[in-house]
Amino acid sequence: FEKLKVEGWIGKDSIYYGKRIFGYHEAGAVAEEFAKARVDVIVIFNSAFPNGYVFPLIAMNPYLQRIPLIVAADEEPNRAIGSCEWATNSVCGNDMNNYVAKYIGRYARFLDGSPLSPGLQGELKTLLNAYHTAGCLRRDYLGRFGDAPGGFHSATGDQLLYFKIFGTTVNTVDLLRVREVYDGMQAEGLKGAESFSEGDIKKTQQQMSQGRLNLLSDQTMLYNAARLYHALRAIIRAEGFTSAAFKCWPEIQGGSFNMSPCLSIAWALAKRDVTAFACESDWPGAVLQSMGTLLTGVPAAFLDFVNWRPDSNILQLGH
């Protein structure tokens, strides 16, 4: 447990219930403790036969019913240690709890093997990573700056369907508001007020020009990119967005901004202001960007979703 915390596979505030849970009252109390903590995943280690309704009481707690559940069983020892109950039945307990899970319709992932084995640890970490990503997506608040350009039908999407499957909530911000914050250097939103200064813009401009083999030498371009970045970040913070998509053309490149915003949105992603920042207002692509970022731990790019069919293994991207 401590190793998983140190390595970052679980949160620092994760709960470890170190004693064996026995009977109705203890199981109910543990379930309520987990529910109160709003855990993202539960891992149960069986030590013997299932005792009573301990597993279903935790699995079917009103809050925990949709929380991912992992049930593991250690290797069975070769000889009795203290009592015959502990000697032979941990994996048996997994099998019996698996029956209960199927009967009550509660999905759970069952693992057998020593918690110290590389195989079990590897699969456990993969599951924890996937469940962490799912938990973050359930709380994803996606800021969509402008609608999709004409003809970008794959960037329209069914917002309720994405909310149903992933939990992503989409809120659209008009591009005129971006212009207002760009000019006025302050934003107000549902979560509060944010502002930035000329000093902030200059500092970011300098950072953008460093360590890139002088490829970014146009100072006017860098200044505009830095200013747009701070305008977008101010709105993101004021509204509490966790991911974003941006209608980068034709208004931005051919309108009053007269600039390419690619550096600005890439900078926001690289600085971890958001888990995704899709171009061309492709908010469904931003959801997949967030998945990539959360699963890998580094900013992910997913640009121009063009075509995919359920009967094909091929996903077509424009870039």
Side-chain angles (χ1 to χ4, degrees):
F1 177 73
E2 294 300 329
K3 183 180 178 183
L4 289 172
K5 280 204 298 186
V6 170
E7 293 179 353
W9 294 100
I10 58 177
K12 300 292 185 182
D13 57 348
S14 295
I15 299 172
Y16 173 61
Y17 196 87
K19 60 178 287 189
R20 188 180 180 199
I21 303 169
F22 187 86
Y24 175 89
H25 299 291
E26 284 189 5
V30 169
E32 289 299 324
E33 183 180 350
F34 287 167
K36 185 177 180 181
R38 299 178 62 84
V39 296
D40 288 321
V41 61
I42 300 170
V43 183
I44 297 175
F45 281 97
N46 277 337
S47 56
F49 272 141
N51 75 64
Y53 279 74
V54 168
F55 170 75
L57 278 170
I58 294 175
M60 297 302 289
N61 175 276
Y63 170 74
L64 303 176
Q65 283 188 41
R66 294 175 65 88
I67 299 299
L69 188 62
I70 302 170
V71 187
D74 200 351
E75 296 171 329
E76 299 183 4
N78 294 325
R79 62 183 185 278
I81 45 175
S83 75
C84 60
E85 181 190 21
W86 284 74
T88 59
N89 296 318
S90 58
V91 174
C92 233
N94 251 17
D95 295 339
M96 297 171 79
N97 280 332
N98 186 38
Y99 167 80
V100 174
K102 288 179 179 293
Y103 190 92
I104 63 179
R106 178 65 159 90
Y107 178 80
R109 182 70 174 94
F110 288 84
L111 304 177
D112 291 335
S114 168
L116 301 179
S117 69
L120 188 141
Q121 285 197 15
E123 187 166 2
L124 177 61
K125 290 175 180 178
T126 297
L127 290 169
L128 290 175
N129 202 16
Y131 293 150
H132 166 70
T133 298
C136 290
L137 286 175
R138 285 200 298 269
R139 297 184 287 270
D140 184 25
Y141 186 34
L142 194 158
R144 186 188 191 193
F145 294 88
D147 294 322
F152 280 59
H153 304 295
S154 60
T156 54
D158 185 336
Q159 294 185 15
L160 274 180
L161 180 62
Y162 274 73
F163 179 77
K164 175 184 175 181
I165 295 175
F166 303 114
T168 296
T169 301
V170 181
N171 189 17
T172 301
V173 176
D174 195 283
L175 289 178
L176 287 175
R177 186 177 175 199
V178 178
R179 177 82 249 186
E180 291 172 355
V181 176
Y182 182 93
D183 293 336
M185 296 192 290
Q186 57 184 357
E188 291 187 8
L190 294 176
K191 201 168 182 181
E194 290 288 333
S195 62
F196 56 97
S197 65
E198 279 290 339
D200 296 326
I201 299 171
K202 294 287 187 181
K203 183 178 179 180
T204 300
Q205 178 185 0
Q206 184 180 21
Q207 291 174 344
M208 286 177 168
S209 64
Q210 292 174 346
R212 288 164 184 81
L213 303 177
N214 295 322
L215 291 175
L216 304 177
S217 57
D218 186 331
Q219 293 303 312
T220 299
M221 182 271 287
L222 287 176
Y223 175 86
N224 292 338
R227 184 161 185 150
L228 178 59
Y229 160 71
H230 279 285
L232 294 172
R233 187 178 73 161
I235 298 173
I236 287 167
R237 290 183 171 182
E239 296 291 351
F241 294 138
T242 55
S243 61
F246 191 64
K247 187 181 182 183
C248 45
W249 70 276
E251 290 89 346
I252 305 300
Q253 295 184 42
S256 61
F257 284 93
N258 195 26
M259 60 178 291
S260 174
C262 303
L263 179 56
S264 305
I265 65 176
W267 199 262
L269 184 60
K271 290 295 184 180
R272 310 299 178 92
D273 295 310
V274 283
T275 55
F277 216 139
C279 58
E280 292 154 348
S281 198
D282 183 11
W283 69 266
V287 176
L288 295 182
Q289 267 195 15
S290 290
M291 289 183 194
T293 299
L294 293 166
L295 286 170
T296 64
V298 294
F302 183 91
L303 309 177
D304 281 4
F305 178 93
V306 176
N307 184 45
W308 175 77
R309 297 185 314 185
D311 59 349
S312 171
N313 292 323
I314 297 175
L315 176 67
Q316 184 180 359
L317 305 176
H319 290 160

